Amino acid sequence: MSLPVPFRQFVLKVASRCDLACDHCYVYEHADQSWRGRPKVMSDHTATRSAARIAEHARRHGLSSVDVVLHGGEPLLAGRERLGRIARELARALDGVCDLELKIHTNGVLLDEAFCDLFTEHDIKIGISLDGDRAANDRHRLYANGRSSYDKVIDAIDLVRKRCPQLYSGLLCTIDVDNDPVAVYEALAALEPPRVDFLLPHATWDDPPPGAPGAYGEWLVQIFDRWLADGRPMTVRLFESALRTLGDRPSLTESLGLEPSDLVVIETDGSYEQADSLKTAYDGAPSTGYTVESHPLDVVASHPGIAGRQSGLDGLAAECRSCPVVSSCGGGLYAHRHRTGSGFDNPSVYCRDLLRLITHIQEAVRSVDTSTHSLTTAEFDALAAGYGAADAVARLEEAQQSLRRAVVAGVGHASTAVEAWRLLTQVDRDARPVLGSVLAHPYVRVWAVQCLTGRADDGHLPAIAAVAAVRAGVQASLRVPVRDGGLHLPSLGRLEVGKSAEATVETAEGRLTVHTDDGTWTVALDAPAGTAGWSPVRRLEADGWSVALDDVDLYRDCHQWPAAERLDDEELRRWQAMFAEAWELIRRDHPAYAPGLAAGLSVIMPLVPPTDGSEVSSTARDAFGAVAAALPESAVSLALLLIHEFQHVKLGAVMDIHDLYDPGHDALYYAPWRPDPRPLEGLLQGTYAHLAVTDFWRVRRLADEGEAAHRAAVQFARWRTQTAEAVETLTGSRALTEAGERFVAVMRRTVRPWLDEPVTAAALREADQAAARHRGEWDKQRAQGSDRS
């Protein structure tokens, strides 16, 4: 039996009453009526105990982050002061333990400027319930006297969009099949939400949903088709989860997929409950019998009801286990399976609807080129602004995975290494995520592109196949070329094997055996460095995040500066110490960049340090996820170069999805960071990178002290002006596509307000002098170039 999965999502019921009387509400209108005996609001003592229990659980399980949702009833009824105290207590308890993502789900009717200021102070993301246009919303979401809530909700959404747009997390819409699905979609999309959650009304086999069987699936299919035709303008969590699970990736919602539930509810009286959707099943269904006062969360995790929601395929009814879409559907929401007599051992009451929706999405995916990807409008704009959260970077990774598969397949189909290609296709069939993780190593794509362009041979394909086989636990035997006395296994390491030209590699679960004319070696995946000539790819660790430090890959020397040879133990220790310090600085002072970096940066490749002591770093266009750098002198410098270079990684991936400029445009432009004229793509890349550079120094001038703060102010003053200038140069090029114009316009919106931020006269003077010197050097080089011509 598997161990319980730790909780990462916590719903705090801060209020148990509501100011609306929605007739489809699962809290007040379904079987469980426990709300009647609970305190109207969560006490300070209960909030403190809850925060302590969450911190205790996160510490025990080494969690890097937790999500806490302030919920109800209507959470705003708890009042601003109480909500502020709860937010502060959660932040205090989790400080130094893990990151806190704090959210609130509200009906919005009480939301005002003071609440927005409170949520801004504590970085509380805001989700608002709205069922569509006025007609759709007023079917159910009314005051007790029958009065409409629509205008107040729309006012609340407009307020959030204007006053604290960075906190606008999305809209929650409960489906009513009597509403026009396209009208509902258009009404929600017009409010430009980053995300929409379409929620099936909670129902069971004893109390089935209104409407004909399958009506909900048909309703959702109409919205999916419109959403897809519109270019997926916002994240729709139900649709994205179906797409992800069909591609063997985790779901984004408990309503789909086989991933174990990691959510627990804490009621206003401090009692732990299972997902509150269970209130629809029977009175007392969500209860666990445990409380924050007396029980740690590990006790709750062992509750049979929690175990049932964490048991994956084994916990489903026999009918579900034999269903062709079970890996995507996952049996639907646990509460929707309930029937008197058989409990939860049934398919979902929405089985026909889920089957219709998932098979429709499956066919839609098959009908388009699977190498084509798109960003939602919200993701595109978030990236263009210079940041891009984990979801946006994950979308870039999805597109990169398709590209990697395409270029490796291009090599494989034409390769003479037939056995290696056959083995890769076997692993792809039987353990697709494993192959994906192997192909995700940045320098695999570098090799494949070089191979397709005649700069490398296909001899690396058997090495990739061997790595995929050993990771998947597949027994195989392959002939793999030996290069420079070593067997190079991408993402694993390098094995010294002597002068033989070829090795026979036998794979098994967790280990491989290598035979050459010079001997035999057996290497386990977790073998330490120095084992029989084995040089593994080592990792840099930093507070729950790690990246590979790859100083052995055969194709890593593809950057602007030469790759370093294998680092010795002292060099490795220096890298580890500085990496940990730089990551702490990024998380503390530059948190807008941390989620994207954690989601997308997978490899750091050491460069040879320049003899003049200058700092160098680089990326390679085909090596998504990799940053190359010589170890700088300080953690501040390392933090800057990671943020700076990852901008290039992100923008390169964006341009793999969207054409941002006319590739036939051959004019050259002045770039304030280079002495030589730059083509349009080079200017775009540099401008985007310096958007982050400017922001970095903008923060450092306030976070640092003394001379360091002054130097940061000089850098900020210089780069804000010159980055803004470069943005206008891009706009004036007249070579941007429609997508490129939007991208650059969003960059302008980021940098423009910085021009008005106060900077000392001394910093402005030094910044102007530095900019003038650079412009003078550029003018001189341009004049020399004209003379030569």
Side-chain angles (χ1 to χ4, degrees), residues 12 42 45-55 90 266-267 270 292:
L12 262 57
M42 179 177 282
H45 175 76
T46 299
T48 298
R49 293 297 297 156
S50 300
R53 290 299 189 190
I54 294 170
L90 286 164
I266 303 176
E267 281 285 358
V292 295

Side-chain angles (χ1 to χ4, degrees), residues 680-732:
L680 192 67
E681 181 178 351
L683 180 64
L684 180 59
Q685 282 276 5
T687 307
Y688 188 64
H690 278 78
L691 201 64
V693 170
T694 305
D695 194 26
F696 183 87
W697 292 119
R698 171 176 170 265
V699 172
R700 294 256 55 87
R701 85 188 200 280
L702 302 175
D704 294 337
E705 297 178 348
E707 181 59 28
H710 173 71
R711 288 196 303 270
V714 172
Q715 294 291 341
F716 170 57
R718 176 184 178 185
W719 293 121
R720 67 178 181 177
T721 302
Q722 296 199 298
T723 303
E725 177 187 344
V727 165
E728 299 311 317
T729 301
L730 288 167
T731 301

Side-chain angles (χ1 to χ4, degrees), residues 49 53 56 272 289-300:
R49 293 297 297 156
R53 290 299 189 190
E56 173 187 57
Y272 294 115
Y290 302 126
T291 69
V292 295
E293 195 65 44
S294 305
H295 304 96
L297 279 154
D298 277 9
V299 172
V300 186

